[in-house]
Structures are given as C-alpha cells and as structure tokens.
Amino acid sequence: MTATPVEALLAAARRHGADRADAILVRDESESALVRKGVPEGIERSESVALGLRVFRGKRAATVSTSVLNKAEFDRLAEQACAMALVVPEDQYAGLAESALQGHFDAAGLDLECSSSPSMDDLLARAREAEDTALSFEGITNTNGASAGHGRTSVALGTSAGFFGAYSRTAHSTSASVLAGEGATMQRDYAYRSAVHLEDLESATIIGREAAERVLARVNPGRPRTGTYSVIYDPRVSATLLGHLVGAINGAAIARGTSFLKDSLGKQILSAGLTVHDDPRRIRGAASRPFDAEGCAALPLDLITNGILQTWLLDSRSGRQLNMPTNGRASRGVASPPSPSVTNLHLAPGTLSSEALRSDISEGILITELMGSSVNMLTGDYSRGASGFMIRNGEVAEPVAELTVAGNLKDMFARMIPGSDLMFRQSVNAPSIRIDGMNIAGL
C-alpha cells in the first residue's frame, strides 16, 4: 500500500534522526463570485496544499513546511528539520501529547461534508439575487457588491506514536454590502452567512434584505452624550466579548503570567447561572473536528459553569507548564507548533428576550458594530470604537456613531446578562449581552 504524504514524511523524519515527530497536511479548494451592480467583478478559484513537519530530538523541537508533495522533497524537509532541532535551545515542555489517541480516526457522525457543489453560474446567480434584493429597497444609494462562495478543507494528521486521522469540511457562504444616504451622512452595512451544508444557508433574498434594512436604519446618526450607560451588545458583536475571555484563559497566556484572569481558576468570573461551553463535536458545526492538532480526543467542555471558571484552554505544552493534562484544545497551522484555542464556543442563553432585556433601560445604547481595539490583557482595561442605536424607555431609538465604549473586562464579565436570542451562525456565538455601568465617550 502506498504511504500517504503524512506517513511518508514521518518515515523520512525517522530516517534522519528524529526521536519523535508529527506531520500535518492541509488541502484547501474554493470558488467564489463577486458581483457589483449586477456585473461580475471577481471570479476566483483556488487550490492549495501545505504540509508541515515537527520533529523532536531530545527536548529540542523544530517545525518546517512545504507545498511540494514528492518523496525527494520529504527527505530534504526532514533533513532540514532534524538539523534545525540540533541547534535550537532546549524546551523542557516540548513533546507529543501523552494522551493522544492511537490508530486511525475520521469525522464519522459529525456530518461535516456537503455533497452540493454549486457551479460558478449558481454562485453568480446567488450573489446577484442578494444584491438585487438589497438594491430594491428605497433609500439604498449604492452597493459594495455581493458575493457567494463554497469550499472544502481537508486535514490529515499523523504522529510517530501511532496516531493517524483525517477529515474534510465544506463551507458555503453568501454576503451583501450596500450604502444609504449621501455625502458625509452616507452609511454602509452588510449581511453575511455561512454554513457547512448548503441546505442550511439562508436564502440570498434574506441576506440582501438584512443588509438593506441594517444600513437604512443607520442613516444620519448622532452622537450620545458622554456618560455612564447600560449597554446591550447585539448578537452580531457580543461574541467579541467571548473572544476576549478566550484570550484571558488561554493556557499559554496563563503560563506566561500575561492574563488578568491568571488567578481566577475555580473562582466566579461571570454572574451565577452563566455557562460557557466549547463543543468540537457539534453536528455540522463551523469548527467541529474529531481530534485536536495533537491527535487528542476532541470532547465537549464547559469552560465556565454557574459563572465559575472550570479550566484553562490547554494543549500538551501549556498543560505541562501548568502541571495539568491537556484538554484537547490544540490547534496549529502547517508552519507553526500547536497552541490552545476553542472550537464551537458559545455562551448559554438567558431567559429574557431582546425586548425584555432592554425594557427597564430609560437611556442606554445598543451596540451593533465595533471597530478598532484597545484591550490590555494584563489589566483587562477595555476600550473600543462603536456605533449602534440609542435605547430610550426600553425601545430602540435613533442611530448613533463615533462613540467609544470603555470599561474593565473583569468587571464587565461579572455584570453580563445574556438574552435568549442565541443563534449558531459561526464558530463563536453569543446572545445579546447587557452590561450596566459602561463608560461612553461621545459629545
């Protein structure tokens, strides 16, 4: 039987003196179509393949990569990696994951591959439908275009300790971006959706309508007065708060001592009752996978239960640094070693609808867009540019822009109140999130 590229590269690593090794192969194929005012402006098809090798010689490790798949290149690559590993400094925490699986594995049961493969004409038609729908709304003055695409990513991973796994994932997407207003008051907004299976992707008409309705609502924005407000993060942006949380509980950051939550394991960091869950085995999930980048089992995990931080995000190296076992959260590219990250992450929804969540706010702000970022992960200090809408007497009122929202993430996490409007549209998802007492810089 002919060896796979991963198996052949591992064999080459052994021949050139590696004590242990792992190799990863990633293939990407994609097609996309962009139209603007109904005219195709970008038709693209791309294919790429990349192969990465990590070798260990004692406590020294080196990582190399290539896009050439032939046996002669494998020997050259393995020889280069093994030579590099002799001259780099020792890393006492380096090594393969002790809890890696053994044998062959795939993504059976996760339903990550769609059999639909739209033609370029299909993609152009879907993009035109989204743009035509958006342009049909009165008040839309221009378009940045609409796009549709699909792709497939295949991953194969093997280790010298006897693990081999492979899986593929498909993706389909549609987007539209339009403008409303004139001159200095012109506003832009967009809508975007993606799904593993084409049948789960919302129609182009829905996406075009959303883009138009969002931008029309933003025309002629004002600026709020500087002050302290109750703020609601729309689901479109609320997941960014989870992104900051993930960064703060990343095992690599904890080991370096560079996180404001470094002393918070086992402590209450969110309000009682709140749960943050990571599930690499979600059926048709945007980031689902059968194993992590070190060949460890990919299992669901509560990061926070009842507001209490349960664990750090760990790969094997950060786990060794913290004297804890990996929890199967390793990710990697072909040219870099593994590092901890999440898969399908979400904040569990609350019981309040978006209307109920704001019903007692006499004057507040609904944030629908964030821009720029000044977040200090050592202290938790948070400041971002934002736009959205005023909330007056519990109702969404006039649009506002050019404001800055600021606070401290540790305090913000403790005051988060989630709504009930959670939807799984990307790899990290959250419902509307209300935080009282936020500092707003405006007029």
Side-chain angles (χ1 to χ4, degrees):
M1 181 182 296
T2 302
T4 68
V6 165
E7 292 168 326
L9 190 54
L10 290 174
R14 288 191 293 269
R15 287 197 300 273
H16 288 281
D19 301 326
R20 291 148 293 146
D22 60 13
I24 184 170
L25 173 69
V26 179
R27 295 180 187 271
D28 283 307
E29 304 172 31
S30 65
E31 284 187 320
S32 63
L34 170 68
V35 300
R36 185 171 183 272
K37 296 184 177 179
V39 178
E41 284 203 346
I43 294 176
E44 295 184 358
R45 174 173 176 80
S46 66
E47 295 185 20
S48 65
V49 60
L51 184 63
L53 173 68
R54 182 173 59 142
V55 302
F56 299 91
R57 304 191 79 167
K59 285 296 182 180
R60 293 180 169 90
T63 302
V64 293
S65 64
T66 184
S67 59
V68 179
L69 302 186
N70 62 56
K71 188 176 184 300
E73 176 66 8
F74 295 166
D75 273 301
R76 185 200 66 79
L77 198 68
E79 183 178 19
Q80 177 188 359
C82 290
M84 289 169 58
L86 288 176
V87 297
V88 298
E90 285 194 353
D91 179 357
Q92 62 178 313
Y93 304 111
L96 300 177
E98 295 85 350
S99 57
L101 301 165
Q102 298 289 309
H104 285 63
F105 297 86
D106 58 27
L110 297 184
D111 200 8
L112 300 182
E113 292 188 77
C114 176
S115 59
S116 298
S117 183
S119 68
M120 187 57 68
D121 286 343
D122 294 332
L123 297 178
L124 285 167
R126 195 161 83 225
R128 286 192 178 104
E129 181 184 346
E131 185 181 55
D132 289 347
T133 300
L135 290 173
S136 70
F137 280 71
E138 184 178 353
I140 299 298
T141 54
N142 209 336
T143 172
N144 283 330
S147 66
H150 72 96
R152 176 184 300 270
T153 297
S154 298
V155 177
L157 175 70
T159 76
S160 59
F163 170 85
F164 183 83
Y167 64 94
S168 295
R169 181 202 326 280
T170 54
H172 300 267
S173 63
T174 311
S175 67
S177 176
V178 288
L179 298 92
E182 300 287 349
T185 65
M186 183 178 292
Q187 295 293 310
R188 174 207 57 83
D189 215 317
Y190 70 95
Y192 171 82
R193 295 287 190 279
S194 66
V196 171
H197 284 255
L198 183 59
E199 66 186 24
D200 295 333
L201 187 66
E202 289 175 284
S203 73
T205 297
I206 290 175
I207 293 164
R209 180 189 307 130
E210 180 181 321
E213 290 175 346
R214 282 186 172 276
V215 72
L216 289 170
R218 294 179 55 167
V219 173
N220 297 319
R223 293 181 69 189
R225 298 187 308 275
T226 295
T228 302
Y229 294 83
S230 292
V231 165
I232 294 178
Y233 286 78
D234 183 85
R236 198 180 198 191
V237 295
S238 59
T240 62
L241 297 173
L242 289 189
H244 299 313
L245 173 64
V246 165
I249 65 172
N250 185 295
I254 300 302
R256 292 192 301 268
T258 56
S259 168
F260 65 93
L261 292 180
K262 64 183 179 181
D263 299 317
S264 298
L265 189 63
K267 297 180 181 178
Q268 186 114 23
I269 63 170
L270 301 186
S271 299
L274 299 194
T275 295
V276 176
H277 184 71
D278 187 54
D279 186 4
R281 301 201 64 81
R282 174 176 291 280
I283 304 301
R284 299 189 177 191
S288 295
R289 61 189 186 187
F291 48 83
D292 79 347
E294 294 182 300
C296 296
L299 301 174
L301 179 68
D302 275 352
L303 300 176
I304 297 172
T305 303
N306 198 27
I308 297 172
L309 180 60
Q310 303 295 309
T311 184
W312 310 120
L313 289 167
L314 297 170
D315 62 354
S316 64
R317 186 178 187 279
S318 60
R320 293 185 193 103
Q321 289 178 287
L322 299 169
N323 198 28
M324 299 173 71
T326 176
N327 47 32
R329 263 53 197 176
S331 294
R332 66 171 290 189
V334 296
S336 60
S339 60
S341 72
V342 294
T343 58
N344 301 302
L345 184 78
H346 76 273
L347 170 66
T351 60
L352 298 174
S353 67
S354 56
E355 294 79 12
L357 195 63
R358 63 176 185 262
S359 62
D360 64 336
I361 298 177
S362 58
E363 187 177 48
I365 297 175
L366 170 65
I367 294 177
T368 59
E369 185 174 31
L370 292 166
M371 63 234 32
S373 183
S374 177
V375 179
N376 187 325
M377 296 305 290
L378 277 171
T379 64
D381 290 336
Y382 172 95
S383 177
R384 297 199 65 179
S387 61
F389 300 87
M390 294 300 300
I391 299 172
R392 300 193 186 280
N393 299 317
E395 299 294 331
V396 178
E398 73 274 14
V400 288
E402 298 181 30
L403 60 98
T404 300
V405 56
N408 183 276
L409 285 169
K410 202 167 188 177
D411 298 332
M412 292 164 63
F413 291 158
R415 298 198 304 270
M416 291 195 323
I417 304 171
S420 62
D421 53 351
L422 176 67
M423 298 188 73
F424 293 96
R425 287 179 168 168
Q426 48 199 9
S427 59
V428 179
N429 299 277
S432 295
I433 294 176
R434 173 173 168 171
I435 305 176
D436 295 329
M438 292 295 292
N439 298 316
I440 298 295
L443 290 173

